[in-house]
Amino acid sequence: MNPADPEGAIAAAAKSCSNWDRWGQDDRLGTLNFLTPGKRAEGAALIRRGESFSLSLPFDMNGPQKGWRRRTNPVHTMLDTGTDAAAGLQKFPHGIGGADDVISMPLQCSTQWDGLGHIFDHGRAWNGRDAATTVTSEGDLVTGIEHMASAVAGRAVLLDVGRVIGDGELPDGFAITEAHLVTTAHAHGVEVGTGDIVLVRTGQLARAKRDGWGDYAGGPAPGLSFGTAEWLHRSEIAAIATDTWGFEVRPNEFADAFQPLHQVVIPHIGLLVGEMWDLEALAEDCARDGVHEFWLTAAPLPITGAVGSPVNPVAVK
């Protein structure tokens, strides 16, 4: 991998890792095709204790966003309140009252999935489609995230790279290689394969929660190396999520590039990518009982035409 040649590296990885037409020209699910009903049944059999863990950050104004790319933290507004009810303003009969609320937020502002229409490569979206006619002002007309609403549930594996490779937390700028992922899986006694949902803990979110958000949103971060594209393709995983803002290592490994691993894994591999997942409580439990595989349900909201979605992933052990 030549740090001075991002264009060449991206083109080579896009060619060698391409899943275009693997599931037909009309495909809307990408690597979620690997997560079959049989794989879901295998994942459900992993539930032993019934202990559940939410892997989501709170959706509130105290989130990580600072306005970059016009991304703001969620704004929660009450439309009706107990105060209104007590004052008799709601005009309902027989003493009934209620509360209603509304939330306004970018879909990628907190714990979320990147949809297949989120990233393009040289004007091409997933499966080689023309980005200009696939994602318009009306939304993603082909691979809107609503098509994934029933698909994201199955066996998941936590790879706690922060604990195995680092001293609990990886430093910003640390590039996680295929060797790091394989070593971590071996240390946990788990195998990663077809149809799995892989969660990668770097420890950066733990640091941000302890020390403040700082540049968590868009700044330097540990993350996957560009060189992991081959492993992500070869392993046939269904999806991957990390506890970082941008999934891949930042600064990126090339002299002049922006999220080059995204440029390969989303439009070419068709991989579902999750970011800003809070893996801390789950990781503590896995460290205690030594079990790093579990059932996970992480359905995106079926927002028609959306290229991403907030999510409250729930792991059950």
Side-chain angles (χ1 to χ4, degrees):
M1 186 170 65
N2 182 357
D5 185 24
E7 186 78 14
I10 292 168
K15 182 178 180 180
S16 64
C17 297
S18 177
N19 279 330
W20 287 4
D21 291 332
R22 184 169 187 168
W23 298 285
Q25 294 184 355
D26 296 330
D27 180 68
R28 296 175 173 180
L29 294 179
T31 55
L32 284 179
N33 283 286
F34 291 130
L35 213 176
T36 62
K39 295 298 296 186
R40 289 195 189 91
E42 292 177 18
L46 295 173
I47 299 175
R48 295 288 188 269
R49 293 153 42 203
E51 191 74 23
S52 62
F53 303 85
S54 170
L55 311 183
S56 178
L57 291 170
F59 282 80
D60 59 33
M61 287 289 289
N62 298 315
Q65 299 300 330
K66 301 186 297 181
W68 184 77
R69 294 201 69 195
R70 293 176 287 183
R71 291 181 181 173
T72 60
N73 292 311
V75 178
H76 178 217
T77 304
M78 298 305 300
L79 300 178
D80 263 334
T81 68
T83 305
D84 298 328
L89 300 178
Q90 295 177 340
K91 309 298 184 183
F92 295 130
H94 314 305
I96 189 173
D100 271 355
D101 44 6
V102 64
I103 191 166
S104 175
M105 64 180 186
L107 299 184
Q108 293 89 1
C109 73
S110 190
T111 306
Q112 55 103 20
W113 286 120
D114 283 345
L116 294 182
H118 182 54
I119 297 293
F120 316 121
D121 180 23
H122 291 79
R124 292 292 159 184
W126 161 240
N127 225 20
R129 298 183 179 97
D130 178 9
T133 56
T134 299
V135 184
T136 72
S137 60
E138 296 182 354
D140 186 336
L141 305 178
V142 182
T143 50
I145 207 157
E146 72 273 14
H147 298 293
M148 298 180 170
S150 65
V152 195
R155 178 183 186 257
V157 172
L158 175 68
L159 299 183
D160 194 345
V161 184
R163 273 184 171 82
V164 174
I165 304 300
D167 187 20
E169 300 172 9
L170 300 176
D172 292 341
F174 185 95
I176 300 171
T177 65
E178 176 180 339
H180 293 139
L181 296 171
V182 172
T183 297
T184 300
H186 180 75
H188 293 334
V190 294
E191 294 184 0
V192 175
T194 301
D196 287 337
I197 303 168
V198 177
L199 311 182
V200 178
R201 179 187 174 274
T202 70
Q204 192 202 29
L205 182 58
R207 185 162 61 248
K209 291 169 71 175
R210 182 183 65 243
D211 301 336
W213 288 117
D215 290 329
Y216 176 86
L224 271 68
S225 168
F226 183 82
T228 61
E230 295 286 349
W231 181 85
L232 293 168
H233 179 249
R234 187 176 66 251
S235 61
E236 297 186 340
I237 61 173
I240 189 167
T242 70
D243 60 350
T244 65
W245 170 87
F247 164 66
E248 58 191 280
V249 63
R250 292 179 58 81
N252 301 137
E253 296 156 286
F254 297 100
D256 181 24
F258 177 74
Q259 302 299 77
L261 187 56
H262 275 68
Q263 194 172 340
V264 173
V265 300
I266 294 179
H268 292 282
I269 299 178
L271 183 64
L272 184 63
V273 174
E275 293 156 334
M276 293 179 279
W277 287 36
D278 188 349
L279 305 175
E280 292 309 298
L282 175 64
E284 289 292 338
D285 188 84
C286 291
R288 281 194 298 269
D289 71 2
V291 177
H292 287 75
E293 58 178 353
F294 39 86
W295 169 262
L296 179 78
T297 179
L301 297 177
I303 304 169
T304 302
V307 299
S309 171
V311 64
N312 175 30
V314 177
V316 187
K317 296 183 70 178

